[in-house]
């Protein structure tokens, strides 16, 4: 004797629409803004680790986010000062101070957690 199993799925269309909306939100300006805010945790920590002679290096630290064509958000934390890489990595006469690397190591898990929480809010609170 053969038995027939019938399954009814309710709300599949609504769920599909919600997923489509979440995908567009996670690749748009609100997501870029949220990721930038999270990366500022690294910037703030780097200011604390940066050596101070004149204060220019600390004052020059910025966070910048860019949307890539494949919908990725790339965030950069750093300085545009010409001597910033030498302070970070060192040179012939000085060892590196690693102020950015230490900031990332200290704040990386907090940044990831903040991005995860923001993505969850954007995805499921719509």
């Amino acid at each position: 004797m053969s038995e027939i199993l019938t399954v009814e799925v309710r709300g599949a269309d609504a769920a599909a629409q919600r997923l489509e909306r979440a995908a567009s939100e996670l690749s748009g300006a609100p997501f870029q803004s949220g990721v930038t805010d999270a990366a500022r945790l690294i910037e703030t920590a780097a200011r604390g680790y940066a050596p101070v002679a004149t204060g220019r290096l600390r004052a020059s630290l910025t966070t910048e986010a860019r949307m890539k064509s494949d919908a990725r958000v790339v965030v950069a934390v750093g300085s545009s000062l010409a001597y910033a890489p030498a302070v970070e990595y060192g040179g012939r006469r000085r060892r590196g101070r690693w102020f950015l690397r230490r900031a990332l190591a200290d704040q990386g898990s907090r940044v990831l957690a903040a991005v995860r929480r923001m993505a969850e809010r954007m995805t499921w609170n719509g």
Side-chain angles (χ1 to χ4, degrees):
M1 178 176 182
S2 68
E3 295 183 28
I4 298 175
L5 175 65
T6 304
V7 177
E8 181 180 342
V9 178
R10 295 183 183 171
D13 291 338
Q17 288 174 350
R18 188 178 216 174
L19 286 172
E20 285 179 28
R21 185 175 66 243
S24 68
E25 289 173 352
L26 288 176
S27 62
F31 186 68
Q32 180 177 347
S33 176
V35 170
T36 303
D37 289 345
R40 283 200 174 95
L41 293 168
I42 297 169
E43 178 186 328
T44 300
R47 285 184 199 279
Y49 288 129
V52 178
T54 65
R56 287 183 64 212
L57 180 59
R58 280 186 178 178
S60 72
L61 293 173
T62 60
T63 301
E64 183 179 311
R66 293 190 185 123
M67 288 292 290
K68 294 294 190 176
S69 59
D70 61 356
R72 289 181 302 137
V73 176
V74 177
V75 180
V77 177
S79 170
S80 62
L81 293 177
Y83 63 84
V87 175
E88 174 71 11
Y89 300 112
R92 281 183 274 160
R93 297 181 192 166
R94 288 196 171 153
R95 65 180 186 85
R97 299 299 292 270
W98 307 108
F99 62 98
L100 289 167
R101 186 175 284 193
R102 284 191 291 164
L104 176 61
D106 285 353
Q107 300 299 317
S109 61
R110 288 183 64 202
V111 169
L112 291 175
V115 170
R116 186 177 301 116
R117 284 190 306 272
M118 185 252 325
E120 288 171 355
R121 281 193 308 270
M122 291 177 74
T123 304
W124 302 114
N125 290 338

